[in-house]
């Protein structure tokens, strides 16, 4: 993969693209890196980014002016890449952190699947940076998220961030259902509960796939140990994505939240889900 340095001629702060009937979980993003060296079988970037290279935007000074004039107070910094990629560009990340430090009332999320994100600690990120990790089933991380760190290594990285004084979160998105997933999720929560004190953010979102990604995903499954082991059927949702059926999703979220109840959780969020799902699940 080539790295291309570019100037962002538009705005850095962008609104999430989401269907009006669905809640997104997070509503604003800043992309200073686009592209990812890892290879997750369900990744939406394959649908969204046309260029296989890594693009790095250098003109970060614009961000300060944009932050000063926006009401957005929670912004994700890792939508078009994995958050760990920031650690490969220390000069850029330091510059970014110096800007974010000036906005202590806003939060900035760095979500990661690779433990090299811990290198960012050497740059002393401000404490309004929230470190979250996408936590997948152990088999999914191992077989379908190629090049990333294992589920347990991600939890270990979260523990180091928490012990360094940062707010942390676990985002289980996408949740993919396969034979043995409940046992694996139970094990994950048991380990996470021993290593982490408090989840400031706990997010859940079941697998959904763009029309163009759906056949690629199925092919990846059929070429892996997960062949014949996926559970649940998919339907074409009103947001034009393939998803599990509504009632199946409700029941699955209830199961995940029950398993998660061993943990100290401050905020529960639903990612790219119909707006009434949270009420249905938590009622
Ligand atoms: S780590 Fe994230 S951005 Fe990278 S391939 Fe996986 S899903 Fe896509």
């Amino acid at each position: 993969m080539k790295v291309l340095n570019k100037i962002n001629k538009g705005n850095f702060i962008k609104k999430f693209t989401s269907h009006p009937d669905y809640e997104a979980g997070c509503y604003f993003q800043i992309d200073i890196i686009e592209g990812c060296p890892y290879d997750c079988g369900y990744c939406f970037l394959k649908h969204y980014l046309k260029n296989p290279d890594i693009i790095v935007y250098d003109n970060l000074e614009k961000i300060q002016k944009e932050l000063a004039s926006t009401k957005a107070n929670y912004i994700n910094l890792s939508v078009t890449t994995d958050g760990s990629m920031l650690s490969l560009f220390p000069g850029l990340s330091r510059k970014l952190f110096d800007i974010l430090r000036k906005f202590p009332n806003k939060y900035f999320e760095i979500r990661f699947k690779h433990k090299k994100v811990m290198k960012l600690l050497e740059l002393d990120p401000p404490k309004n940076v929230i470190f979250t990790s996408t936590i997948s089933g152990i088999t999914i991380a191992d077989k379908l998220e190629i090049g990333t760190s294992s589920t347990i290594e991600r939890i270990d990285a979260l523990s180091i961030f928490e012990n360094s004084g940062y707010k942390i979160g676990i985002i289980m998105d996408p949740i993919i259902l396969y034979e043995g997933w409940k046992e694996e999720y139970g094990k994950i929560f048991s380990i996470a509960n021993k290593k982490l004190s408090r989840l400031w953010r706990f997010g859940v979102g079941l697998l959904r796939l763009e029309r163009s990604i759906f056949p690629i995903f199925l092919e990846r499954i059929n070429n892996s140990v997960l062949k014949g082991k996926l559970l649940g059927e998919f339907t074409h949702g009103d947001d034009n994505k393939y998803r599990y059926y509504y009632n199946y999703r409700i029941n699955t979220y209830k199961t995940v939240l029950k398993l998660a109840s061993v943990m100290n959780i401050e905020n529960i969020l639903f990612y790219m889900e119909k707006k009434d799902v949270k009420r249905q699940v938590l009622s």
Side-chain angles (χ1 to χ4, degrees), residues 36 38-40 42-43 45 81-82 113 148:
C36 182
Y38 311 132
D39 182 19
C40 301
Y42 50 78
C43 181
L45 285 185
T81 189
D82 187 67
K113 282 192 187 131
T148 65

Side-chain angles (χ1 to χ4, degrees), residues 35-46 49 78-85 111-114 134 144-148 154 173-174:
C36 182
Y38 311 132
D39 182 19
C40 301
Y42 50 78
C43 181
F44 85 101
L45 285 185
K46 292 185 180 76
L49 297 178
S78 39
V79 173
T80 53
T81 189
D82 187 67
S84 63
M85 287 295 286
R111 193 182 309 171
F112 65 88
K113 282 192 187 131
H114 200 290
T134 305
L144 216 57
E145 296 174 349
I146 308 304
T148 65
R154 297 178 204 177
D173 179 29

